[in-house]
Amino acid sequence: MRPTQAPYPLTRLRRTRRSSAIRSLVAQNSLSPADFIWPVFVREGNDVQEPVPSMPGVMRRSVDRVVEAAREAHDLGIPAICLFPYTDAANRTEDCAEAWNPDNLSNRATRAIKDAVPDIAIMTDVALDPYSDTGHDGFVRDGEIVNDETVAALVRQALSQADAGVDIIGPSDMMDGRIGAIRDALEQQGHHDVLLLSYAAKYASAFYGPFRDAVGASGALKGDKKTYQMDPANSDEALRCVARDLNEGADMVMVKPGMPYLDICRRVKDAFGAPTYAYQVSGEYAMIQAAAAQGWIDGDRAMAESLMAFKRAGCDGILTYFAPQMARALQS
Ligand code: PBG
């Protein structure tokens, strides 16, 4: 539907751009701290905060420091924090058993945050890559990433996270059938209110590079993830993934990466009207930070513009490493 439009000079489109007051009156989208989920990296130790070199401004934090970060996020009006463990090498094994250890790093951080900052929502990641010696999200058998055996392990991982008290479980592994299997298990165990935010349309992307450094998986990863993550050439397949995951019991869905896949965000939102999120991934963050550090772009403006793009594309929220920085900018 295109509204009729009087010809120039009856219509001058510049009229609605002429002052900041008028521009804000006609603005169709806005950003708020309530739009953000903040991904944070957790490591062992006490009172440690260690920079991730490929993600300037991002830290790996010990549990006590993650609790501080959660408090800061809550004070800024950020509703949710997403935990990613940086697992010690000794806990990366072929059977990935650390993934469902009730006392693993992610579960300890969950309990500590729930104690100290009960009102912030906690999201965790379901996938085997932080715990495997191969860097893959699933078990590798004879060179293949096996689906069904992996799903059984993901269910154990998800249940241990629910037992620790997380609000939102984010399966990021791209195995088939995992949403249904996790949903069934959660229902059976009485975890009726735990949300599933499915990484439904997750692409095999070069933009995850800095994240794999941050969680210590880059060295280990042999090969690529193309047999389970999506081909960047495809768009219809993303809709099939989302439809499948919603049918299996996902409450919210994600498109990942973000900026190169805004067309997918829009298609998903239009087709399903479900709560839809984009992940502005590590490589997107690193590019903006690197160019800003060189003085080649204005970092604050590029941050705000990149995040607004997700709202314009129909997303209800964004997972972004910029969450606290953008929330602070919105306050000032
Ligand atoms: C692992 C996982 C990845 C990210 C989130 N969960 C990496 C991967 O699939 O290799 C990427 C996040 C980012 O790049 O910021 N299952």
Side-chain angles (χ1 to χ4, degrees):
M1 182 206 50
R2 207 163 284 281
T4 51
Q5 186 77 77
Y8 168 86
L10 302 182
T11 296
R12 289 180 186 266
L13 287 164
R14 288 184 56 190
R15 285 188 201 117
T16 51
R17 299 177 199 141
R18 67 182 287 261
S19 70
S20 156
I22 301 295
R23 285 192 296 274
S24 59
L25 210 53
V26 299
Q28 271 188 276
N29 293 286
S30 63
L31 281 173
S32 139
D35 294 325
F36 306 138
I37 298 174
W38 182 25
V40 295
F41 299 108
V42 196
R43 50 155 294 157
E44 292 292 347
N46 223 307
D47 197 19
V48 202
Q49 193 155 274
E50 157 190 57
V52 178
S54 52
M55 299 178 72
V58 169
M59 305 284 173
R60 297 186 195 112
R61 297 171 162 89
S62 53
V63 170
D64 56 314
R65 290 296 193 97
V66 167
V67 169
E68 261 175 46
R71 191 172 290 118
E72 181 197 344
H74 181 61
D75 291 345
L76 284 165
I78 296 167
I81 191 166
C82 179
L83 305 176
F84 289 103
Y86 172 81
T87 314
D88 281 347
N91 285 328
R92 297 173 193 252
T93 58
E94 202 185 336
D95 65 2
C96 302
E98 184 66 7
W100 48 89
N101 174 359
D103 287 317
N104 69 22
L105 204 45
S106 173
N107 291 333
R108 274 183 278 135
T110 297
R111 287 193 296 267
I113 296 170
K114 274 288 155 195
D115 265 0
V117 196
D119 292 338
I120 197 162
I122 302 177
M123 173 172 168
T124 45
D125 200 69
V126 166
L128 299 181
D129 55 327
Y131 307 105
S132 76
D133 50 1
T134 65
H136 278 289
D137 294 11
F139 292 123
V140 185
R141 304 281 181 245
D142 300 325
E144 261 191 50
I145 288 81
V146 292
N147 194 86
D148 299 4
E149 196 183 337
T150 298
V151 170
L154 298 173
V155 167
R156 296 180 76 177
Q157 181 181 19
L159 284 176
S160 93
Q161 296 174 354
D163 288 340
V166 305
D167 301 277
I168 306 170
I169 291 177
S172 72
D173 52 279
M174 287 295 277
M175 297 299 119
D176 285 321
R178 89 275 205 221
I179 297 296
I182 294 171
R183 176 55 77 206
D184 281 351
L186 289 172
E187 283 293 323
Q188 274 168 30
Q189 299 297 313
H191 292 298
H192 308 297
D193 294 331
V194 173
L195 289 99
L196 288 178
L197 198 180
S198 173
Y199 287 63
K202 176 170 176 179
Y203 287 83
S205 173
F207 292 97
Y208 306 150
F211 173 95
R212 291 177 191 165
D213 285 344
V215 297
S218 356
L221 183 62
K222 293 175 197 76
D224 55 50
K225 300 191 176 184
K226 290 180 185 172
T227 69
Y228 47 109
Q229 299 179 347
M230 276 184 56
D231 183 343
N234 296 347
S235 173
D236 291 344
E237 186 184 345
L239 298 193
R240 298 177 69 200
C241 289
V242 169
R244 187 260 323 260
D245 288 0
L246 289 171
N247 279 325
E248 290 183 14
D251 304 284
M252 309 146 102
V253 292
M254 191 202 294
V255 174
K256 176 179 176 192
M259 200 143 80
Y261 297 88
L262 291 175
D263 57 322
I264 308 298
C265 297
R266 171 51 68 193
R267 285 193 75 187
V268 166
K269 187 63 181 177
D270 286 350
F272 301 101
T276 303
Y277 298 80
Y279 198 143
Q280 182 181 51
V281 299
S282 55
E284 300 174 63
Y285 173 86
M287 286 194 301
I288 293 174
Q289 293 293 68
Q294 296 285 335
W296 293 337
I297 57 172
D298 178 330
D300 284 342
R301 289 183 52 208
M303 162 181 76
E305 184 176 333
S306 68
L307 292 168
M308 185 66 86
F310 296 113
K311 298 297 294 291
R312 202 182 58 238
C315 293
D316 297 288
I318 307 120
L319 283 92
T320 175
Y321 302 98
F322 283 123
Q325 194 180 330
M326 188 68 231
R328 258 180 249 114
L330 287 165
Q331 275 182 345
S332 56

